Amino acid sequence: MVTHVPAEEYGDERGALLSFLAEQRGGIRRAVLGLTDEQATSRPTVSELSLAGLVKHAAEVEQSWIARAKGEEPAVHRDETNWGETHRLLAGETVAEQLAYWEKVAAETEAFIRAVPSLDDTFPLPDQPWFPPEGRASMRWVCLHLIRETARHAGHADIIRESLDGKTAFELVALEQAG
């Protein structure tokens, strides 16, 4: 862990979950710190992943899960025909726009999770082959899932950024704090 997540008030499970999610978002956001869109969209490893694509993907995934938890449709419908678009910027999209969108999504996530009556409340899982038929998930599960998903991609972002210019997560934290 590169940054410290402060202890929540005793019993503030929502605060703890949201703090850990915010910490992982920060890892991805810092990875694009000081880069041009060209650098952020480059793919310096054998992977198809770019930093810009990770920012866009993380924002879309978070928005889609919170929409489902609210009983709404995700803002962007993804399936096998357009799944790859979640991992790259399309014509006219910028890193700055994706970061701003993610900031809005993060605020909506926090407001929603703080407002649900209970983290034990559930919502239906999508009708997709990798979920159990008529499956349900709790608000706690969606928080933990978003932490896991974001943390996984924060690790990818660390590798991609270091491949670009040698900057490590520790250096990026210091750069962010100085800025």
Side-chain angles (χ1 to χ4, degrees):
M1 174 176 11
V2 177
T3 60
H4 175 70
V5 179
E8 72 282 0
E9 290 183 32
Y10 180 75
D12 181 14
E13 183 180 8
R14 293 169 205 243
L17 292 168
L18 292 168
S19 291
F20 275 92
L21 179 55
E23 183 227 3
Q24 294 306 316
R25 282 190 208 109
I28 297 174
R29 287 180 173 145
R30 277 187 298 277
V32 298
L33 191 62
L35 297 179
T36 65
D37 278 6
E38 183 179 355
Q39 290 170 308
T41 57
S42 68
R43 298 185 330 247
T45 69
V46 297
S47 171
E48 291 288 320
L49 294 176
S50 71
L51 293 173
L54 288 173
V55 169
K56 180 178 178 178
H57 175 70
E60 274 192 21
V61 166
E62 184 171 334
Q63 189 284 327
S64 70
W65 275 108
I66 295 303
R68 287 182 185 103
K70 291 178 176 180
E72 302 170 358
E73 287 295 313
V76 178
H77 174 74
R78 295 285 181 209
D79 60 27
E80 58 278 349
T81 66
N82 67 356
W83 180 249
E85 292 176 4
T86 187
H87 293 284
R88 67 178 180 275
L89 297 187
L90 302 179
E93 293 179 336
T94 67
V95 174
E97 290 169 344
Q98 295 302 315
L99 288 168
Y101 175 66
W102 199 10
E103 191 172 324
K104 179 180 167 255
V105 167
E108 291 171 4
T109 297
E110 179 150 343
F112 175 72
I113 293 300
R114 290 196 183 279
V116 293
S118 171
L119 291 175
D120 294 327
D121 290 350
T122 65
F123 62 95
L125 289 170
D127 183 18
Q128 295 170 332
W130 45 87
F131 292 119
E134 299 180 31
R136 298 187 70 79
S138 70
M139 301 304 162
R140 180 179 296 99
W141 180 92
V142 81
C143 288
L144 292 167
H145 179 71
L146 288 173
I147 292 166
R148 177 186 68 178
E149 173 84 8
T150 308
R152 180 173 186 235
H153 293 313
H156 295 143
D158 285 343
I159 292 166
I160 294 169
R161 178 59 189 256
E162 194 169 351
S163 297
L164 282 172
D165 64 5
K167 284 198 172 52
T168 66
F170 291 105
E171 292 171 293
L172 292 169
V173 167
L175 185 63
E176 179 184 53
Q177 291 173 347

